Amino acid sequence: MMCSRPNLRLLISHRHSPGDYSTTSTRLVANSGAHKLDDALQLFDEMLHKKPPPCIIKFNKIITPIVKLKHYSTALSLLKQINLTGIPTSIYTMNIFINCYCRLKQVNYSFALLATIFKLGHPPDLATYNTLINGLVLANRVFEAIELFKKLIRDKLCEPNQVMYGTVINGLCKVGHTSKALELCRFMKKGTSCEPNQVMYSTIIDSLCKDRMVDDALRLFNEMTQKGIHANVITYTSLIHGL
DNA sequence: GTAGGGTTAG
């Protein structure tokens, strides 16, 4: 029963609403996707050849919308150009880099970059580790994602936050380990300063419904409502399907 | 406001 589910659910792509990116230029907001990309590339080129070049923050800001538009290979080529030019990067740049490889399902390159980060003397941060965990989830390597998550806690490499718990809960649900996801949700409430949010509850409710455990799903729905976390159209759609 | 996550079905 559980075998047929994960693959189907992994096919679901990630959503980005049209306004879901930050830009450095209003040009990038006003135009269509293709024009936005062209404008960003042109701006990048101008910046790269400026003497002296702008600071790395400006480069990070221009690459981010390109990543949000899912032009990962393009973003990677820009990042490589920055490296070739010798402009000093930051941990933000490296995290964008890692995320691009993760999105292209090339997690091994992402981990190679982690080694580079250490060599460059940028300590990895929560976003670095979360990106890697998410990369493993995207590559259908959820077991390894969980192992990394556990190792981070065990070795006190970082203190997981709500984003990281959300990533792991999503991964667990994707492969049908709904009870583990629920356990983690309970652990968050009792053992951490993070609180499960609307999306986390909805993710687990949907997973319970797909497991045909609608009573449990309804219990969780009541729980979230009592906590003042509102269900949304997605939560209700999952419940209706389950029922 | 420099980077990282996520839920439905049609």
Side-chain angles (χ1 to χ4, degrees):
Chain A
M1 179 191 74
M2 285 200 179
C3 302
S4 61
R5 206 171 58 123
N7 292 335
L8 276 175
R9 301 184 75 193
L10 283 170
L11 291 174
I12 298 166
S13 63
H14 296 269
R15 289 197 178 163
H16 295 286
S17 63
D20 186 25
Y21 51 82
S22 54
T23 61
T24 51
S25 156
T26 49
R27 287 190 288 171
L28 305 186
V29 180
N31 295 337
S32 70
H35 286 137
K36 272 182 233 161
L37 182 61
D38 284 346
D39 284 351
L41 293 177
Q42 199 192 326
L43 199 54
F44 178 87
D45 214 45
E46 288 165 15
M47 282 161 54
L48 197 67
H49 295 107
K50 224 172 174 182
K51 292 208 166 108
C55 73
I56 191 64
I57 294 175
K58 292 218 169 73
F59 284 100
N60 295 341
K61 279 181 166 178
I62 198 137
I63 297 172
T64 299
I66 296 172
V67 175
K68 301 281 187 199
L69 289 167
K70 301 186 183 180
H71 294 289
Y72 308 120
S73 303
T74 307
L76 279 174
S77 77
L78 302 186
L79 289 161
K80 287 172 187 169
Q81 286 182 57
I82 292 173
N83 274 349
L84 284 173
T85 316
I87 297 165
T89 56
S90 70
I91 187 64
Y92 285 71
T93 325
M94 297 309 287
N95 290 343
I96 299 170
F97 227 135
I98 288 178
N99 187 36
C100 287
Y101 279 122
C102 286
R103 299 282 168 178
L104 292 168
K105 310 260 165 74
Q106 297 186 306
V107 195
N108 293 343
Y109 282 112
S110 300
F111 277 95
L113 277 175
L114 180 64
T116 309
I117 288 176
F118 281 113
K119 267 188 222 158
L120 290 173
H122 304 299
D125 62 10
L126 208 48
T128 317
Y129 288 124
N130 190 61
T131 309
L132 289 167
I133 290 174
N134 189 49
L136 289 167
V137 170
L138 290 172
N140 206 7
R141 291 162 61 175
V142 177
F143 181 74
E144 291 163 83
I146 306 304
E147 285 307 303
L148 176 56
F149 174 67
K150 285 183 184 166
K151 182 186 163 64
L152 293 175
I153 296 174
R154 196 175 50 232
D155 298 350
K156 296 190 167 58
L157 291 170
C158 67
E159 181 78 35
N161 63 0
Q162 201 189 37
V163 174
M164 194 173 274
Y165 283 111
T167 307
V168 175
I169 285 175
N170 180 51
L172 287 167
C173 287
K174 262 184 175 163
V175 290
H177 291 314
T178 319
S179 57
K180 289 281 172 200
L182 199 52
E183 254 178 52
L184 194 56
C185 182
R186 300 269 175 257
F187 174 77
M188 273 181 78
K189 285 200 295 190
K190 286 187 184 155
T192 77
S193 54
C194 305
E195 284 291 320
N197 63 16
Q198 187 191 51
V199 179
M200 292 178 202
Y201 274 114
S202 296
T203 306
I204 301 172
I205 286 171
D206 179 63
S207 222
L208 286 168
C209 288
K210 290 202 162 74
D211 291 340
R212 301 189 184 272
M213 295 171 73
V214 188
D215 287 330
D216 291 288
L218 287 169
R219 261 194 289 277
L220 201 57
F221 164 72
N222 284 329
E223 180 189 307
M224 75 185 278
T225 309
Q226 275 166 16
K227 289 189 68 168
I229 299 169
H230 297 295
N232 61 15
V233 67
I234 297 177
T235 329
Y236 285 117
T237 306
S238 295
L239 284 168
I240 291 167
H241 259 262
L243 288 165

